[in-house]
Amino acid sequence: MANTEDQGMEIHTNPIEKLRAQCLARGSAGIKGLARVFHIMDDDKSRSLDLAEFVKGLSSAGITLGSREAQQIFSLCDKNSSGTMDFEEFLEALRPPMSAARKQIIVDAFHKLDKTGAGVVSVEDLHGVYDGRTHPKYQSGEWTEEQVFRAFLDSFDSPSDKDGKITAEEFLNYYSGVSASIDSDDYFVAMMKRAWKL
């Protein structure tokens, strides 16, 4: 008979669920932080990693998985058995499932922010979309509007690599973590509409 501790661990016997739980335990930044680590490790910009790079990335991100679990996740995401794991396929498997309505409202919000249409949101995109003058630190004279914009962008970035830009992937990863904490699709969609004035 299993003890209580073992029974509690049975909740996450699926390695991808265990990895997802560790990421979500870090809040909305968990998945995007892991994605950022993998982007940094992708020296050749192929948007894929081999097993050794994947295991190193997990360790760098402070994720605790056994080598067998890491291998299982890697095999699941290496759909064509090429010996490499595609970032997009990995992140798709890692993100908590979201309804089509949630995904669409996230895409709509990103497109509203991406005024230049470059696929990346920068400080330039925020002018006219986000009013930094209402921020308390701007009103107190502590920050300029530019500093408010940068702090806003940094909230979507990984703590270890703040580049002042938000990609569609980073935006989706951020809201995937937010989505995981909201049960109702209607509430999530309404919250996004209010937040982004959609």
Side-chain angles (χ1 to χ4, degrees):
M1 177 173 237
N3 67 32
T4 310
E5 186 177 279
D6 291 338
Q7 289 172 353
M9 290 302 292
E10 288 175 359
I11 294 170
H12 300 295
T13 57
N14 176 332
I16 199 82
E17 290 291 333
K18 184 175 180 181
L19 177 56
R20 182 181 299 138
Q22 287 187 50
C23 287
L24 293 177
R26 297 172 183 202
S28 59
I31 291 174
K32 75 179 172 95
L34 183 57
R36 178 66 72 181
V37 168
F38 287 137
H39 280 292
I40 291 167
M41 295 186 68
D42 182 24
D43 294 330
D44 65 358
K45 305 299 179 218
S46 65
R47 299 192 51 79
S48 62
L49 298 175
D50 63 26
L51 179 60
E53 291 170 322
F54 176 63
V55 170
K56 184 178 175 188
L58 291 174
S59 177
S60 294
I63 301 291
T64 54
L65 288 177
S67 58
R68 183 169 176 230
E69 292 169 319
Q71 174 66 53
Q72 287 174 318
I73 293 170
F74 186 85
S75 296
L76 172 77
C77 296
D78 181 15
K79 297 186 190 259
N80 63 359
S81 301
S82 65
T84 61
M85 179 178 64
D86 178 77
F87 278 148
E88 286 304 315
E89 291 175 344
F90 170 67
L91 290 174
E92 193 174 300
L94 184 59
R95 289 182 192 117
M98 282 193 291
S99 69
R102 289 183 189 219
K103 288 179 185 175
Q104 187 58 54
I105 198 75
I106 292 169
V107 167
D108 292 348
F110 183 81
H111 285 259
K112 182 174 182 179
L113 275 177
D114 183 17
K115 286 293 187 192
T116 62
V120 175
V121 176
S122 63
V123 168
E124 294 77 35
D125 290 300
L126 295 179
H127 290 283
V129 178
Y130 178 74
D131 187 2
R133 295 169 299 173
T134 61
H135 193 283
K137 288 193 176 187
Y138 177 86
Q139 291 181 340
S140 72
E142 199 174 332
W143 283 0
T144 65
E145 191 172 24
E146 187 84 10
Q147 288 172 306
V148 171
F149 288 158
R150 184 58 196 247
F152 173 79
L153 292 172
D154 286 350
S155 69
F156 291 89
D157 252 339
S158 150
S160 61
D161 184 30
K162 296 191 181 300
D163 62 2
K165 296 177 183 168
I166 308 168
T167 64
E169 182 181 294
E170 288 171 327
F171 199 72
L172 180 62
N173 287 338
Y174 176 86
Y175 277 108
S176 178
V178 173
S179 174
S181 67
I182 299 173
D183 293 332
S184 165
D185 278 355
D186 290 339
Y187 181 83
F188 182 82
V189 169
M191 181 264 314
M192 290 293 290
K193 284 182 176 181
R194 275 192 313 275
W196 296 109
K197 295 184 173 90
L198 298 172

